Amino acid sequence: PGPHMIAALILAAGGSRRLGRPKQLEPWGSTTLLSHIIDLVEAFPVDETWVVVGAELDRVVNEIGARPVGIVQNPDWESGLASSLRVGLDALTRLSKADGVLVFLGDQPAVRADVVTALIEKHKRSTAMAIVPKYRYSRGNPVLIDRRLWPRLMSLEGDEGAQRLLQAHSEWVEEVWFDSLPPRDIDTQADVEELRPRRT
């Protein structure tokens, strides 16, 4: 079945209400949180990378700079995560030939390469429409969504990500089990202090 193409979609449009400043631009090692995540994702075995942006649009686009990623603007970012997923998948439907999309959250800086590789390998061999990582106790991110399922995810509303829909339709899902804990979100100042890389 021809070449197997995977796109990465980073959802980074949110307003960081709990942190009180744009988490996309939070200093992270020698760069910013969003740049760190883009660099991380670019190093994974994906064929293309797309970033959904919204809050602090000009500053965030400026931060992405000349990186070779597709930028998708979400004017409706305040309505929640579902709108970012929708505009991202809409852009991919029109502009990408990818067979599947790995959805990353723009505030999870510690996604592991072995997880991503395992999800992609499973997708190649599976007929399931969604490949979901199951960490020790719970499902988590990133999720890999086959192109056949994109239209269904584009009907989600509000702050709902893909997980609730996938929970309701176990027949669509194949899980890959990992012994590690799921990647953590950066939501608060405490998260920043705990998870930010120490400057060397």
Side-chain angles (χ1 to χ4, degrees), residues 11-197:
L11 306 182
S16 322
R17 277 185 298 273
R18 284 164 65 186
L19 189 59
R21 56 185 187 271
K23 58 173 102 163
Q24 297 91 330
L25 304 172
E26 190 63 23
W28 209 259
S30 57
T31 180
T32 60
L33 181 58
L34 179 57
S35 290
H36 165 82
I37 290 174
I38 292 172
D39 292 343
L40 186 72
V41 168
E42 291 264 78
F44 294 149
V46 297
D47 297 285
E48 49 192 49
T49 303
W50 300 75
V51 184
V52 181
V53 297
E56 299 286 342
L57 183 71
D58 294 343
R59 287 172 67 195
V60 171
V61 169
N62 194 42
E63 170 60 33
I64 295 170
R67 286 184 169 79
V69 300
I71 296 178
V72 187
Q73 188 179 342
N74 178 11
D76 193 27
W77 61 268
E78 287 183 72
S79 73
L81 192 68
S83 62
S84 288
L85 195 55
R86 193 162 56 240
V87 299
L89 291 176
D90 179 64
L92 284 169
T93 300
R94 289 181 291 112
L95 303 171
S96 172
K97 293 187 164 51
D99 307 293
V101 62
L102 269 162
V103 181
F104 295 90
L105 301 185
D107 62 358
Q108 292 187 345
V111 173
R112 289 165 42 149
D114 60 325
V115 170
V116 171
T117 304
L119 295 176
I120 292 172
E121 288 305 314
K122 175 66 80 175
H123 182 251
K124 284 179 184 168
R125 300 191 306 270
S126 172
T127 56
M129 291 203 284
I131 310 294
V132 177
K134 174 85 183 270
Y135 299 95
R136 282 180 217 172
Y137 313 110
S138 59
R139 289 181 173 183
N141 292 298
V143 295
L144 201 169
I145 309 290
D146 189 86
R147 195 174 188 115
R148 293 168 294 159
L149 194 53
W150 296 358
R152 289 298 296 268
L153 293 186
M154 289 163 72
S155 65
L156 295 172
E157 297 289 336
D159 241 338
E160 200 175 7
Q163 296 280 10
R164 262 194 39 213
L165 184 67
L166 298 180
Q167 219 86 48
H169 290 276
S170 57
E171 71 277 10
W172 295 346
V173 177
E174 193 158 341
E175 292 181 339
V176 183
W177 289 56
F178 299 98
D179 196 34
S180 50
L181 291 169
R184 297 218 351 230
D185 298 4
I186 305 290
D187 284 326
T188 63
Q189 183 61 33
D191 297 335
V192 168
E193 285 165 16
E194 192 182 336
L195 298 173
R196 177 155 49 197

